[in-house]
Structures are given as structure tokens and as C-alpha cells.
Amino acid sequence: EVQLVESGGGLVQPGGSLRLSCAASGFNFDSSAMSWVRQAPGKGLERVSSIDSGGGIIYYADSVKGRFTISRENAKNTLYLQLNNLKTEDTAMYYCAKGWYATAWSDRGQGTQVTVSL
């Protein structure tokens, strides 16, 4: 059974930073592409960033390019997302998800809330 547990969210002012973590278990993490997706209030799921199994191929949504950095530590079965220069429009629930791309992102965790506000 795929288990994904996110942490690291919180309340931060515009321009601030956060580091999200995702602890993975129940599948071969080191052979799986992984993604971060987010859902803002009243909106659908948005793919934020993806990374291949070896960390050599990375995707970023245009809205976060240059501000967010995805990384992974296969020895620890952990996925990360560094969020810098946060904007109010980054406010959302952030989910860790298994896979490079999906429509429903059914294999995802419970999420960690990121709120960017003065």
C-alpha cells in the first residue's frame, strides 16, 4: 500500500520560505517518479513539480519556476520541496504524489497546508 506523509507547511509572510518533506513507504520509492501537486481553495489540483527516479529530470510549473526546488533522497525514501519567495497565490494544500503525471493523482498523501499572508 502506497503511504505518503507530508510535513513542513505553515503560515508565512510574502517573500518567506518553507521546506516541505514527504516520507514515502509501501512501494519502491527509488524507482518511482514523484511529484508535488497543490490545491488552492475552490480550485482543482495543480501539478507544481515532478522529479524522475534518479533526480535527473525535473519539471516545474511556470508559476513556480525559479522559486521552488524539488529534490529527493532515495536512501531515506524522502521527497522535498523548497519554497522560496512565496506569494499569496501560493496558498494551498500541498500534496506529495507518486508518479510523473496523472489526472486524478490518486496516489497522494493527506497534504500539508501552506498559507502565505501578511
Side-chain angles (χ1 to χ4, degrees), residues 2 12 14 18 22 37 63 65 74 83 90 104-106:
V2 173
V12 64
L18 287 171
C22 171
V37 299
S63 57
K65 206 170 289 184
N74 286 347
L83 291 67
D90 295 318
W105 298 101
S106 55

Side-chain angles (χ1 to χ4, degrees), residues 7-90:
S7 61
L11 173 63
V12 64
Q13 293 185 349
S17 298
L18 287 171
R19 189 192 196 202
L20 308 184
S21 298
C22 171
S25 61
F27 65 102
N28 292 327
F29 179 80
D30 56 4
S31 61
S32 298
M34 297 294 296
S35 297
W36 287 97
V37 299
R38 68 185 180 185
Q39 187 167 26
K43 297 189 176 180
L45 286 170
E46 176 192 13
R47 183 190 186 198
V48 175
S49 183
S50 301
I51 187 169
D52 77 332
S53 59
I57 301 174
I58 289 174
Y59 162 86
Y60 293 108
D62 287 342
S63 57
V64 307
K65 206 170 289 184
R67 301 187 298 119
F68 291 7
T69 303
I70 192 171
S71 62
R72 63 190 297 160
E73 203 166 348
N74 286 347
K76 293 185 177 181
N77 282 7
T78 302
L79 179 72
Y80 303 100
L81 186 67
Q82 177 69 40
L83 291 67
N84 295 332
N85 191 20
L86 282 159
K87 304 177 180 181
T88 55
E89 53 263 41
D90 295 318

